[in-house]
Amino acid sequence: MTTALHETAEAQACCAPLVAAPISPADADALARTLKALADPARLRLLSLVAAHDGGEACVCDLTDPVGLSQPTVSHHLKVLVDAGLLTRDKRGVWAYYALVPDTLDSVAAALGTQLRS
Amino acid sequence: MTTALHETAEAQACCAPLVAAPISPADADALARTLKALADPARLRLLSLVAAHDGGEACVCDLTDPVGLSQPTVSHHLKVLVDAGLLTRDKRGVWAYYALVPDTLDSVAAALGTQLRS
């Protein structure tokens, strides 16, 4: 299960820097899909809360109060983030625990940034 | 006119790194608005084409053929990018010329990236 999720995360890695050369239609589609998952205030807050949580992972039970949304709504947003390869989901006992996939965020940042790193 | 557009661009600059500490609701709203403008394959291709164009600026006339969309559709996407502070628009004679606002892309990249720069 965890392996399958990591494979999803890898599949999202994209793209060459946007400003270095014209982006291909396929890369533009892939990058836009990940950006759509990110382009929601509640999902940005959830990503940020998961990253800042003790041990770098959090369950839905940790997240509903801070964002002020119902558990089904939070679960929906977390699923979008998992499907986009931005979070992993690990079911342990009653709860599922979510953790950040830093590589996916970093690949988006690298595709958008105009200052190439040395 | 150009001054007003630059003010729009500055107003979009946002935010502290997402993974460093929980993002505020106001910053999440601002960042999500800019990400929504970016989260479209045609707009990503247009941004990339403008950045790669001779002299770093392009008119609608330069962009319709490479993206394979009609002039009104391209103009609509360019307006979304200007409103989000990602492009400036400078009317000269018959055509308007669009140029990248690197600071806006860099502020989004800095907000998303997990590897803080030294």
Side-chain angles (χ1 to χ4, degrees), chain A residues 18-19 108-109 112-115, chain B residues 5-15 30-31 33-35 37-38 47 80-88 99-112:
Chain A
L18 195 63
V19 302
V108 174
L112 297 180
T114 69
Q115 296 167 31
Chain B
L5 290 170
H6 278 290
E7 283 168 5
T8 302
E10 284 170 24
Q12 303 291 333
C14 168
C15 310
L31 182 55
R33 273 198 301 276
T34 308
L35 288 167
L38 286 167
L47 266 187
V80 173
L81 293 168
V82 170
D83 290 347
L86 289 156
L87 291 178
T88 55
L100 191 71
V101 181
D103 285 356
T104 306
L105 271 185
D106 285 330
S107 72
V108 174
L112 296 180

Side-chain angles (χ1 to χ4, degrees), chain A residues 55-93:
Chain A
E57 62 176 17
C59 63
V60 177
C61 57
D62 299 316
L63 299 168
T64 50
D65 277 359
V67 291
L69 296 170
S70 70
Q71 187 175 313
T73 302
V74 170
S75 292
H76 161 74
H77 285 309
L78 291 170
K79 181 179 188 316
V80 174
L81 293 168
V82 170
D83 289 347
L86 289 156
L87 291 178
T88 56
R89 178 183 189 275
D90 185 22
K91 187 98 192 297
R92 296 201 301 272

Side-chain angles (χ1 to χ4, degrees), chain A residues 51-52 93 104 107 110:
Chain A
T104 306
S107 72

Side-chain angles (χ1 to χ4, degrees), chain A residues 18 21-23 36 48 106 114-115, chain B residues 18 21-23 39 48 106 114-115:
Chain A
L18 195 63
I23 190 171
K36 274 181 186 136
S48 189
D106 285 330
T114 69
Q115 296 167 31
Chain B
L18 195 63
I23 190 172
S48 188
D106 285 330
T114 70
Q115 296 166 31

Side-chain angles (χ1 to χ4, degrees), chain A residues 13-73:
Chain A
C14 168
C15 312
L18 195 63
V19 302
I23 190 171
S24 74
D27 278 359
D29 286 348
L31 183 55
R33 272 197 302 275
T34 308
L35 288 168
K36 274 181 186 136
L38 286 168
D40 179 280
R43 290 200 286 274
L44 289 172
R45 294 182 65 197
L46 288 168
L47 266 187
S48 189
L49 286 164
V50 167
H53 203 260
D54 287 347
E57 62 176 17
C59 63
V60 177
C61 57
D62 299 316
L63 299 168
T64 50
D65 277 359
V67 291
L69 296 170
S70 70
Q71 187 175 313
T73 302

Side-chain angles (χ1 to χ4, degrees), chain B residues 74-90:
Chain B
V74 170
S75 292
H76 161 75
H77 285 309
L78 291 170
K79 182 179 186 316
V80 173
L81 293 168
V82 170
D83 290 347
L86 289 156
L87 291 178
T88 55
R89 177 183 190 274
D90 186 21

